Amino acid sequence: MGRIGILFSILFLGVAACSTTPPTLGTDGKPLPRVYTIRNEAALSFRMLDSVNALRQAAGAPNLTLNSQLTAAAKTHAQDMSLQNRPWHFGSDGSSPLQRVARTGYVGLFKGEVLSETFETELETLAAWMEEEGSRNVLLDPNAVDMGFAWHQDPNGRLWWVLNTATPGEAAQVQG
């Protein structure tokens, strides 16, 4: 098992400490999805940052720094995906991830966005992102410096996760 595989094992052990409600049955007798309850919102972003950085270190990439502007763009999009009821990279106003990041005033080169709609924890979501090549490339991009991470949780417990990466520098050219 490689270093990334060992890190995944460690990450999954951390999931065991997460809070979930016991499974319940719906009116049709089928189990309802378990609901992950976020108890400490302040710690969640730093837990994700630490987890992403552990994976990046194993891959030989430098650590990311949490950035409030990238987080604001991620938060806005997580809420918007919930309103649209679909996980995709375009806002209800037609905006792209690059445009949303530019709107926050971030000056630099947008590197990528990963997102998910799930009932799973942030660590389970991170593991799923690492299994998909495009998402893994965004998370492990050695040229990325900054990270924004946010979520929105619907009343039914469904979570909308968004993570952005970028590199500070000259302003990117944004159309629209």
Side-chain angles (χ1 to χ4, degrees):
M1 179 183 301
R3 291 187 336 196
I4 290 180
I6 292 169
L7 284 172
F8 271 131
S9 298
I10 292 168
L11 288 174
F12 284 119
L13 290 176
V15 171
C18 295
S19 173
T20 58
T21 57
T24 56
L25 300 178
T27 56
D28 60 359
K30 294 181 182 177
L32 295 173
R34 65 187 172 90
V35 176
Y36 171 54
T37 303
I38 298 170
R39 299 206 185 277
N40 187 347
E41 291 187 19
L44 183 64
S45 293
F46 292 103
R47 189 166 53 242
M48 179 61 95
L49 177 66
D50 290 344
S51 299
V52 169
N53 281 337
L55 293 168
R56 289 174 61 84
Q57 287 173 2
N63 284 347
L64 296 174
T65 301
L66 204 55
N67 178 279
S68 61
Q69 291 166 311
L70 295 176
T71 295
K75 182 67 173 173
T76 299
H77 192 54
Q79 292 169 338
D80 190 43
M81 287 190 308
S82 171
L83 292 172
Q84 295 182 69
N85 197 33
R86 63 178 167 183
W88 73 326
H89 294 283
F90 295 97
S92 57
D93 62 355
S95 63
S96 70
L98 179 66
Q99 290 168 318
R100 288 189 299 276
V101 167
R103 286 177 189 164
T104 69
Y106 183 86
V107 178
L109 179 61
F110 176 78
K111 301 300 288 181
E113 177 181 76
V114 293
L115 49 86
S116 180
E117 171 237 349
T118 183
F119 287 93
E120 296 178 331
T121 69
E122 72 281 356
L123 296 179
E124 290 169 313
T125 301
L126 177 59
W129 285 339
M130 288 297 291
E131 290 177 14
E132 201 277 319
E133 182 180 5
S135 297
R136 185 174 54 252
N137 290 342
V138 169
L139 294 167
L140 301 181
D141 183 342
N143 297 312
V145 173
D146 292 328
M147 179 181 110
F149 174 68
W151 64 92
H152 174 79
Q153 189 161 29
D154 291 339
N156 68 358
R158 181 171 41 183
L159 285 153
W160 305 85
W161 302 103
V162 180
L163 187 148
N164 293 320
T165 60
T167 300
E170 292 184 26
Q173 296 294 321
V174 179
Q175 305 239 340

